[in-house]
Amino acid sequence: MSIDTNLISVNKVESTNSITYKLDYGDGIIETATIEQLSSGDIRMEVSSENSHDIIVQKTDGTITIDGNPVTVEERDVIQDGTELNSSNTDISVQSQYGRGSTYKTSPYKGSASDYTKKVKVIKTASVKASKRIRRMTITAISTILKNSIQTLVPTTLPVSVLTKVAKEIKPVAERNAPKSEYLSYSLTKYAYKNNGKLDKYYKYAGSYYAEKKYAGKKVSHTFYEYNAIGL
């Protein structure tokens, strides 16, 4: 189970299997998260804020539940564009041969945002069912759902920290504009850096995120970046 380590301080250590963290999201928003490993191997995280409470379980098969209900991707479409693809029409950076790996952050690893000009693919996820109203969820839960959904589409482990900001913005959008919604949706466009070499590769994911299914309602824009290379 991942949390944004840039935001945490340790509140309490119950045992070697249970630690409580305080997460400071800024603007007076504080959440506490108790994380423990269950005997099954699953990871359980209980998160609380002033007005929200979630029990998130990440199972050994990679799926997650919120308050005992599974989070499911109901509708997704990946459109390959042709740039930075190999002969099998597969995104080069996703390939694991030669020990390639990736790291991610919310600012460019090379150049500026405008230097990422070559479209690789578009990832459209029209329906992620959370089985709980988004407005009642913690920021930690929203970012975990997004991270878990996007994780299957990118190389190596995606840190939840790259999605913390957008999760913080989605929650008030749900409160104001979609109070009954139990869905998230998003569209990501992946761009390659204008002068990528054969070894080091740099990418941008420009995203539009929504607190409703099928890209309805107010859009929240958010971008993160990938550095892909051998040995990461």
Side-chain angles (χ1 to χ4, degrees):
M1 183 75 69
S2 55
I3 56 177
D4 190 342
T5 55
N6 298 314
L7 305 175
I8 68 171
S9 59
V10 177
N11 246 15
K12 187 188 301 183
V13 179
E14 300 285 356
S15 67
T16 56
N17 290 329
S18 178
I19 302 176
T20 299
Y21 299 93
K22 181 175 76 172
L23 296 95
D24 188 346
Y25 285 102
D27 300 317
I29 303 172
I30 303 292
E31 295 181 0
T32 58
T34 299
I35 302 177
E36 63 176 320
Q37 184 167 12
L38 306 179
S39 59
S40 61
D42 297 346
I43 305 296
R44 181 184 187 272
M45 180 160 61
E46 185 169 2
V47 190
S48 299
S49 65
E50 185 177 2
N51 299 309
S52 301
H53 177 264
D54 300 301
I55 296 177
I56 310 163
V57 176
Q58 181 170 323
K59 298 184 175 296
T60 54
D61 64 3
T63 60
I64 61 173
T65 63
I66 304 289
D67 296 346
N69 299 307
V71 175
T72 55
V73 176
E74 295 184 337
E75 188 176 345
R76 169 174 286 159
D77 188 20
V78 179
I79 305 167
Q80 303 286 16
D81 190 72
T83 302
E84 292 280 309
L85 302 177
N86 64 20
S87 59
S88 300
N89 201 39
T90 303
D91 182 1
I92 291 172
S93 76
V94 177
Q95 301 307 293
S96 59
Q97 67 266 32
Y98 313 120
R100 298 196 72 89
S102 294
T103 59
Y104 302 88
K105 63 178 183 177
T106 54
S107 58
Y109 284 94
K110 189 170 186 177
S112 63
S114 61
D115 291 326
Y116 294 76
T117 55
K118 299 179 179 180
K119 186 185 291 187
V120 179
K121 63 184 176 183
V122 178
I123 301 165
K124 298 176 72 68
T125 303
S127 178
V128 182
K129 185 177 182 180
S131 298
K132 182 175 182 176
R133 291 185 179 182
I134 304 302
R135 70 178 178 87
R136 292 180 175 169
M137 299 174 68
T138 58
I139 295 172
T140 301
I142 296 170
S143 59
T144 299
I145 290 172
L146 289 174
K147 182 261 184 192
N148 201 67
S149 170
I150 297 171
Q151 177 65 75
T152 60
L153 305 168
V154 299
T156 66
T157 302
L158 182 71
V160 73
S161 58
V162 301
L163 296 164
T164 297
K165 182 177 182 293
V166 68
K168 181 181 175 181
E169 294 183 32
I170 283 176
K171 182 174 171 67
V173 168
E175 291 171 343
R176 292 191 300 267
N177 302 332
K180 295 183 179 181
S181 174
E182 296 185 351
Y183 291 84
L184 297 168
S185 59
Y186 56 85
S187 177
L188 298 174
T189 302
K190 182 176 182 177
Y191 295 93
Y193 181 68
K194 60 183 180 181
N195 293 321
N196 267 348
K198 291 184 178 180
L199 296 179
D200 293 339
K201 296 183 178 296
Y202 305 89
Y203 299 95
K204 176 176 77 173
Y205 294 81
S208 300
Y209 298 80
Y210 304 83
E212 302 178 62
K213 64 166 63 174
K214 297 186 181 297
Y215 324 110
K218 181 178 174 58
K219 177 178 74 174
V220 177
S221 299
H222 179 68
T223 299
F224 64 89
Y225 295 83
E226 173 193 351
Y227 168 48
N228 179 268
I230 296 172
L232 291 179

